[in-house]
Amino acid sequence: ANGNVSTSELADISNVVTHSKSISPWSRQLLETFHTQVISTFAATGGQFKLTTHYQKYAVGLVCDFLKRSGSTYFPRLNRNQVGVGLLLRIANPGIIKQGYSSLCGPVSLLFNVATDSPAGYAKFAIDIFEKGRGKIGRLEIKPGRDMRNYLPPDYVTVDGERIKVDVHQADWLTMASIRDSENFLLVSASVEDEGAGITTAGGLAQWFRLAGYTDVADHTVILDH
């Protein structure tokens, strides 16, 4: 009700997950996912989920409505509870949006700013992508391809004989890979290992920001041909 979940309330959630005999398996999974991710994500601040603005609280309301639904999705390998809880945490702290082992730093920089400046815009975009297969950030229209929509990032990949943790949350993959894939005409961002398909040019990133509604955008990069 106040936009915060205190450590004692988290303990209550854990108690319900552990001991309740009446809640449904779906509800138990949702509460357990929220509890686990809040504890691990906000451990440095005592494990408290906190919203500080009315904009964040409104956006969280959109995500809660999303979590109550059970309709079909255009991303059959993504889990609604995982995505929804991930969005809740990112609305509370956009700084946890990250690319992990992928070359999707361009979309991440856009999403960080959108989630910070317009939490509801970020939430609606993610929800629309998940449920409708397309969404918008301002005038930036996003419609990822089928290969990307049917992909689930693995926990680990092996590169040159080395096992590397991918560390890409489903909420981040849904949003950042959709943005990148929607812009690819010859390459498809269907895997975290598709480095070429995931790279964003400086000019492309600047254009994304302009279409998203930002006005003070300047591109000072110079491409050198050696």
Side-chain angles (χ1 to χ4, degrees):
N2 63 2
N4 302 329
V5 179
S6 67
T7 52
S8 63
E9 289 168 334
L10 276 177
D12 290 340
I13 290 175
S14 179
N15 190 45
V16 170
V17 168
T18 304
H19 300 293
S20 176
K21 306 293 185 183
S22 60
I23 64 173
S24 68
W26 178 88
S27 297
R28 189 186 304 276
Q29 181 198 59
L30 174 59
L31 290 176
E32 185 174 23
T33 300
F34 180 80
H35 178 269
T36 300
Q37 292 196 26
V38 168
I39 290 294
S40 62
T41 303
F42 300 117
T45 57
Q48 185 171 357
F49 177 89
K50 180 181 291 187
L51 305 174
T52 58
T53 71
H54 293 295
Y55 301 106
Q56 289 176 314
K57 293 175 184 178
Y58 177 75
V60 160
L62 296 178
V63 178
C64 287
D65 289 341
F66 164 78
L67 284 167
K68 293 175 185 177
R69 296 194 287 270
S70 58
S72 60
T73 171
Y74 278 76
F75 293 79
R77 301 190 66 185
L78 299 186
N79 179 277
R80 183 181 288 265
N81 283 347
Q82 288 285 340
V83 170
V85 170
L87 294 176
L88 293 177
L89 270 60
R90 282 150 180 78
I91 290 168
N93 181 7
I96 66 175
I97 299 173
K98 62 180 180 179
Q99 69 195 71
Y101 183 77
S102 74
S103 55
L104 295 169
C105 54
V108 169
S109 64
L110 175 65
L111 289 167
F112 170 79
N113 283 275
V114 172
T116 300
D117 298 329
S118 177
Y122 167 74
K124 188 177 187 307
F125 160 66
I127 292 168
D128 284 347
I129 286 288
F130 187 88
E131 294 185 330
K132 302 175 182 178
R134 62 172 64 196
K136 295 180 67 175
I137 302 175
R139 294 184 293 112
L140 179 62
E141 298 186 4
I142 309 299
K143 185 180 179 182
R146 179 180 297 178
D147 288 345
M148 182 262 149
R149 290 190 281 105
N150 285 277
Y151 178 78
L152 177 67
D155 293 330
Y156 293 88
V157 294
T158 301
V159 180
D160 297 330
E162 180 182 0
R163 193 165 183 255
I164 300 175
K165 188 175 182 179
V166 173
D167 199 21
V168 175
H169 193 281
Q170 289 191 23
D172 290 335
W173 177 256
L174 169 73
T175 51
M176 65 185 185
S178 290
I179 293 173
R180 178 63 269 171
D181 188 69
S182 185
E183 293 291 303
N184 287 339
F185 298 102
L186 300 177
L187 300 172
V188 179
S189 301
S191 166
V192 293
E193 299 169 89
D194 290 344
E195 293 187 11
I199 293 174
T200 304
T201 65
L205 181 59
Q207 180 65 3
W208 286 351
F209 272 93
R210 294 187 186 100
L211 290 173
Y214 290 89
T215 56
D216 188 13
V217 180
D219 177 9
H220 298 293
T221 56
V222 178
I223 298 177
L224 300 178
D225 184 13
H226 292 289

PDB file of all heavy atoms in Angstrom, residues 180-198:
ATOM      1  N   ARG A 180      16.864  -4.511 -29.990  1.00  0.00           N
ATOM      2  CA  ARG A 180      17.965  -4.743 -30.932  1.00  0.00           C
ATOM      3  C   ARG A 180      17.493  -5.571 -32.127  1.00  0.00           C
ATOM      4  O   ARG A 180      17.797  -5.254 -33.279  1.00  0.00           O
ATOM      5  CB  ARG A 180      19.103  -5.453 -30.203  1.00  0.00           C
ATOM      6  CG  ARG A 180      20.324  -5.833 -31.043  1.00  0.00           C
ATOM      7  CD  ARG A 180      21.038  -4.633 -31.613  1.00  0.00           C
ATOM      8  NE  ARG A 180      20.533  -4.266 -32.932  1.00  0.00           N
ATOM      9  CZ  ARG A 180      20.852  -3.164 -33.574  1.00  0.00           C
ATOM     10  NH1 ARG A 180      21.649  -2.285 -33.016  1.00  0.00           N
ATOM     11  NH2 ARG A 180      20.362  -2.915 -34.760  1.00  0.00           N
ATOM     12  N   ASP A 181      16.739  -6.639 -31.869  1.00  0.00           N
ATOM     13  CA  ASP A 181      16.309  -7.522 -32.948  1.00  0.00           C
ATOM     14  C   ASP A 181      15.371  -6.817 -33.911  1.00  0.00           C
ATOM     15  O   ASP A 181      15.407  -7.054 -35.110  1.00  0.00           O
ATOM     16  CB  ASP A 181      15.617  -8.756 -32.364  1.00  0.00           C
ATOM     17  CG  ASP A 181      15.313  -9.804 -33.425  1.00  0.00           C
ATOM     18  OD1 ASP A 181      16.260 -10.411 -33.946  1.00  0.00           O
ATOM     19  OD2 ASP A 181      14.120  -9.995 -33.748  1.00  0.00           O
ATOM     20  N   SER A 182      14.554  -5.922 -33.391  1.00  0.00           N
ATOM     21  CA  SER A 182      13.603  -5.205 -34.234  1.00  0.00           C
ATOM     22  C   SER A 182      14.299  -4.324 -35.252  1.00  0.00           C
ATOM     23  O   SER A 182      13.753  -4.031 -36.316  1.00  0.00           O
ATOM     24  CB  SER A 182      12.674  -4.351 -33.364  1.00  0.00           C
ATOM     25  OG  SER A 182      11.681  -3.728 -34.143  1.00  0.00           O
ATOM     26  N   GLU A 183      15.543  -3.920 -34.949  1.00  0.00           N
ATOM     27  CA  GLU A 183      16.300  -3.037 -35.824  1.00  0.00           C
ATOM     28  C   GLU A 183      17.192  -3.794 -36.798  1.00  0.00           C
ATOM     29  O   GLU A 183      17.825  -3.189 -37.659  1.00  0.00           O
ATOM     30  CB  GLU A 183      17.164  -2.095 -34.984  1.00  0.00           C
ATOM     31  CG  GLU A 183      16.363  -1.101 -34.159  1.00  0.00           C
ATOM     32  CD  GLU A 183      15.680  -0.068 -35.035  1.00  0.00           C
ATOM     33  OE1 GLU A 183      16.368   0.627 -35.802  1.00  0.00           O
ATOM     34  OE2 GLU A 183      14.439   0.030 -34.965  1.00  0.00           O
ATOM     35  N   ASN A 184      17.275  -5.108 -36.662  1.00  0.00           N
ATOM     36  CA  ASN A 184      18.176  -5.892 -37.507  1.00  0.00           C
ATOM     37  C   ASN A 184      17.459  -6.364 -38.760  1.00  0.00           C
ATOM     38  O   ASN A 184      16.429  -7.038 -38.685  1.00  0.00           O
ATOM     39  CB  ASN A 184      18.704  -7.118 -36.742  1.00  0.00           C
ATOM     40  CG  ASN A 184      19.733  -6.737 -35.695  1.00  0.00           C
ATOM     41  OD1 ASN A 184      20.331  -5.673 -35.774  1.00  0.00           O
ATOM     42  ND2 ASN A 184      19.940  -7.608 -34.730  1.00  0.00           N
ATOM     43  N   PHE A 185      18.023  -6.030 -39.893  1.00  0.00           N
ATOM     44  CA  PHE A 185      17.437  -6.460 -41.158  1.00  0.00           C
ATOM     45  C   PHE A 185      18.148  -7.691 -41.726  1.00  0.00           C
ATOM     46  O   PHE A 185      17.543  -8.545 -42.336  1.00  0.00           O
ATOM     47  CB  PHE A 185      17.512  -5.315 -42.176  1.00  0.00           C
ATOM     48  CG  PHE A 185      16.749  -4.098 -41.752  1.00  0.00           C
ATOM     49  CD1 PHE A 185      17.402  -2.997 -41.231  1.00  0.00           C
ATOM     50  CD2 PHE A 185      15.375  -4.064 -41.867  1.00  0.00           C
ATOM     51  CE1 PHE A 185      16.691  -1.874 -40.834  1.00  0.00           C
ATOM     52  CE2 PHE A 185      14.654  -2.941 -41.478  1.00  0.00           C
ATOM     53  CZ  PHE A 185      15.316  -1.844 -40.959  1.00  0.00           C
ATOM     54  N   LEU A 186      19.461  -7.781 -41.506  1.00  0.00           N
ATOM     55  CA  LEU A 186      20.224  -8.894 -42.050  1.00  0.00           C
ATOM     56  C   LEU A 186      20.661  -9.881 -40.981  1.00  0.00           C
ATOM     57  O   LEU A 186      20.961 -11.022 -41.274  1.00  0.00           O
ATOM     58  CB  LEU A 186      21.474  -8.366 -42.783  1.00  0.00           C
ATOM     59  CG  LEU A 186      21.191  -7.430 -43.952  1.00  0.00           C
ATOM     60  CD1 LEU A 186      22.502  -6.929 -44.548  1.00  0.00           C
ATOM     61  CD2 LEU A 186      20.366  -8.126 -45.027  1.00  0.00           C
ATOM     62  N   LEU A 187      20.722  -9.424 -39.729  1.00  0.00           N
ATOM     63  CA  LEU A 187      21.164 -10.269 -38.629  1.00  0.00           C
ATOM     64  C   LEU A 187      20.033 -10.420 -37.629  1.00  0.00           C
ATOM     65  O   LEU A 187      19.172  -9.566 -37.503  1.00  0.00           O
ATOM     66  CB  LEU A 187      22.395  -9.657 -37.941  1.00  0.00           C
ATOM     67  CG  LEU A 187      23.626  -9.466 -38.829  1.00  0.00           C
ATOM     68  CD1 LEU A 187      24.696  -8.685 -38.072  1.00  0.00           C
ATOM     69  CD2 LEU A 187      24.167 -10.803 -39.294  1.00  0.00           C
ATOM     70  N   VAL A 188      20.057 -11.516 -36.886  1.00  0.00           N
ATOM     71  CA  VAL A 188      18.990 -11.804 -35.936  1.00  0.00           C
ATOM     72  C   VAL A 188      19.581 -11.988 -34.552  1.00  0.00           C
ATOM     73  O   VAL A 188      20.479 -12.794 -34.366  1.00  0.00           O
ATOM     74  CB  VAL A 188      18.212 -13.084 -36.344  1.00  0.00           C
ATOM     75  CG1 VAL A 188      17.117 -13.370 -35.326  1.00  0.00           C
ATOM     76  CG2 VAL A 188      17.625 -12.932 -37.725  1.00  0.00           C
ATOM     77  N   SER A 189      19.078 -11.221 -33.564  1.00  0.00           N
ATOM     78  CA  SER A 189      19.556 -11.336 -32.186  1.00  0.00           C
ATOM     79  C   SER A 189      18.850 -12.498 -31.495  1.00  0.00           C
ATOM     80  O   SER A 189      18.085 -12.322 -30.561  1.00  0.00           O
ATOM     81  CB  SER A 189      19.276 -10.043 -31.421  1.00  0.00           C
ATOM     82  OG  SER A 189      19.894  -8.953 -32.037  1.00  0.00           O
ATOM     83  N   ALA A 190      19.089 -13.708 -32.001  1.00  0.00           N
ATOM     84  CA  ALA A 190      18.391 -14.875 -31.466  1.00  0.00           C
ATOM     85  C   ALA A 190      19.188 -15.578 -30.390  1.00  0.00           C
ATOM     86  O   ALA A 190      18.763 -16.595 -29.872  1.00  0.00           O
ATOM     87  CB  ALA A 190      18.072 -15.853 -32.593  1.00  0.00           C
ATOM     88  N   SER A 191      20.356 -15.067 -30.031  1.00  0.00           N
ATOM     89  CA  SER A 191      21.195 -15.725 -29.053  1.00  0.00           C
ATOM     90  C   SER A 191      22.093 -14.707 -28.374  1.00  0.00           C
ATOM     91  O   SER A 191      22.485 -13.715 -28.984  1.00  0.00           O
ATOM     92  CB  SER A 191      22.058 -16.802 -29.741  1.00  0.00           C
ATOM     93  OG  SER A 191      23.104 -17.226 -28.894  1.00  0.00           O
ATOM     94  N   VAL A 192      22.434 -14.960 -27.100  1.00  0.00           N
ATOM     95  CA  VAL A 192      23.352 -14.058 -26.414  1.00  0.00           C
ATOM     96  C   VAL A 192      24.737 -14.106 -27.041  1.00  0.00           C
ATOM     97  O   VAL A 192      25.565 -13.226 -26.820  1.00  0.00           O
ATOM     98  CB  VAL A 192      23.459 -14.421 -24.912  1.00  0.00           C
ATOM     99  CG1 VAL A 192      22.152 -14.149 -24.215  1.00  0.00           C
ATOM    100  CG2 VAL A 192      23.906 -15.867 -24.719  1.00  0.00           C
ATOM    101  N   GLU A 193      24.999 -15.148 -27.832  1.00  0.00           N
ATOM    102  CA  GLU A 193      26.308 -15.293 -28.463  1.00  0.00           C
ATOM    103  C   GLU A 193      26.391 -14.608 -29.827  1.00  0.00           C
ATOM    104  O   GLU A 193      27.456 -14.577 -30.440  1.00  0.00           O
ATOM    105  CB  GLU A 193      26.646 -16.780 -28.610  1.00  0.00           C
ATOM    106  CG  GLU A 193      26.719 -17.512 -27.273  1.00  0.00           C
ATOM    107  CD  GLU A 193      26.793 -19.004 -27.441  1.00  0.00           C
ATOM    108  OE1 GLU A 193      27.915 -19.534 -27.549  1.00  0.00           O
ATOM    109  OE2 GLU A 193      25.727 -19.639 -27.458  1.00  0.00           O
ATOM    110  N   ASP A 194      25.279 -14.059 -30.319  1.00  0.00           N
ATOM    111  CA  ASP A 194      25.269 -13.357 -31.602  1.00  0.00           C
ATOM    112  C   ASP A 194      25.803 -11.937 -31.419  1.00  0.00           C
ATOM    113  O   ASP A 194      25.055 -10.964 -31.369  1.00  0.00           O
ATOM    114  CB  ASP A 194      23.851 -13.307 -32.181  1.00  0.00           C
ATOM    115  CG  ASP A 194      23.369 -14.657 -32.652  1.00  0.00           C
ATOM    116  OD1 ASP A 194      24.217 -15.548 -32.807  1.00  0.00           O
ATOM    117  OD2 ASP A 194      22.149 -14.806 -32.859  1.00  0.00           O
ATOM    118  N   GLU A 195      27.118 -11.800 -31.291  1.00  0.00           N
ATOM    119  CA  GLU A 195      27.697 -10.501 -30.989  1.00  0.00           C
ATOM    120  C   GLU A 195      27.434  -9.488 -32.103  1.00  0.00           C
ATOM    121  O   GLU A 195      27.108  -8.331 -31.848  1.00  0.00           O
ATOM    122  CB  GLU A 195      29.208 -10.633 -30.744  1.00  0.00           C
ATOM    123  CG  GLU A 195      29.535 -11.419 -29.477  1.00  0.00           C
ATOM    124  CD  GLU A 195      31.013 -11.380 -29.172  1.00  0.00           C
ATOM    125  OE1 GLU A 195      31.735 -10.593 -29.811  1.00  0.00           O
ATOM    126  OE2 GLU A 195      31.458 -12.145 -28.306  1.00  0.00           O
ATOM    127  N   GLY A 196      27.593  -9.923 -33.347  1.00  0.00           N
ATOM    128  CA  GLY A 196      27.401  -8.997 -34.457  1.00  0.00           C
ATOM    129  C   GLY A 196      25.990  -8.464 -34.510  1.00  0.00           C
ATOM    130  O   GLY A 196      25.749  -7.272 -34.754  1.00  0.00           O
ATOM    131  N   ALA A 197      25.006  -9.345 -34.251  1.00  0.00           N
ATOM    132  CA  ALA A 197      23.607  -8.924 -34.303  1.00  0.00           C
ATOM    133  C   ALA A 197      23.225  -8.058 -33.120  1.00  0.00           C
ATOM    134  O   ALA A 197      22.247  -7.321 -33.168  1.00  0.00           O
ATOM    135  CB  ALA A 197      22.702 -10.156 -34.358  1.00  0.00           C
ATOM    136  N   GLY A 198      23.995  -8.126 -32.038  1.00  0.00           N
ATOM    137  CA  GLY A 198      23.638  -7.384 -30.845  1.00  0.00           C
ATOM    138  C   GLY A 198      24.241  -6.005 -30.760  1.00  0.00           C
ATOM    139  O   GLY A 198      23.813  -5.179 -29.959  1.00  0.00           O
TER     140      GLY A 198
END
